């Protein structure tokens, strides 16, 4: 007996599609601040920031903050903070993956988004470059 239904063939996921999803975890251009982690704290870390200046809808530029300890500020991380690892090879290729709080260490370069508070900055997202 021959089957009467036509089998349904599900195509394999397209490699480019999954790569596009992976790359869309975080857009570094959307960062409120970027910079190097100075030291770890009980609630997060201190950051020596490069301030991201918005120039328009699709343009921004990094401007170094004032030199010295006065330019450092506290970044608080909560249970809701999302961590993303950005792996870049220096040749323009990069990929992203979900990360974890333990990837943030002194001297790490990070991109952060969140809100300024009276006691510092509360991070919604921390993206770590080459953790």
């Amino acid at each position: 007996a021959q089957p009467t239904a036509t089998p349904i063939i599900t195509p394999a996921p397209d490699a480019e599609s999954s790569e596009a999803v992976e790359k869309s975890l975080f857009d570094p251009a959307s960062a409120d601040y970027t910079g190097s982690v100075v030291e770890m704290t009980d609630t997060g870390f201190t950051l020596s920031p490069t301030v991201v200046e918005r120039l328009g809808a699709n343009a921004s530029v990094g401007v170094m903050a004032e030199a010295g300890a006065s330019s450092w500020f506290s970044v608080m991380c909560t249970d809701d903070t999302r961590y993303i690892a950005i792996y870049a090879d220096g040749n323009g290729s990069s990929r992203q993956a979900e990360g974890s709080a333990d990837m943030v260490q002194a001297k790490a370069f990070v991109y952060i988004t969140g809100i300024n508070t009276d006691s510092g900055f509360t991070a919604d997202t921390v993206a770590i470059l080459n953790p």
Side-chain angles (χ1 to χ4, degrees):
Q2 298 260 336
T4 56
T6 305
I8 298 172
I9 299 172
T10 306
D14 184 1
E16 288 184 25
S17 296
S18 62
E19 187 176 333
V21 168
E22 189 174 53
K23 286 185 177 181
S24 67
L25 291 174
F26 183 78
D27 178 8
S30 70
D32 294 312
Y33 296 98
T34 64
S36 296
V37 173
V38 178
E39 65 182 356
M40 301 306 296
T41 66
D42 291 340
T43 59
F45 54 91
T46 56
L47 184 72
S48 180
T50 300
V51 179
V52 177
E53 300 285 340
R54 304 273 187 244
L55 298 178
N58 295 318
S60 62
V61 63
V63 178
M64 292 302 293
E66 288 182 30
S70 64
S71 67
W72 300 354
F73 67 91
S74 294
V75 176
M76 286 160 284
C77 299
T78 68
D79 291 340
D80 294 329
T81 300
R82 181 179 185 199
Y83 298 91
I84 298 171
I86 300 175
Y87 301 96
D89 66 6
N91 294 323
S93 297
S94 68
R95 66 180 178 84
Q96 295 183 11
E98 291 292 337
S100 61
D102 62 347
M103 291 180 161
V104 181
Q105 299 180 15
K107 298 185 182 176
F109 190 84
V110 297
Y111 302 86
I112 60 173
T113 63
I115 57 170
N116 285 306
T117 64
D118 290 338
S119 55
F121 186 86
T122 301
D124 293 329
T125 304
V126 178
I128 308 100
L129 182 62
N130 294 327

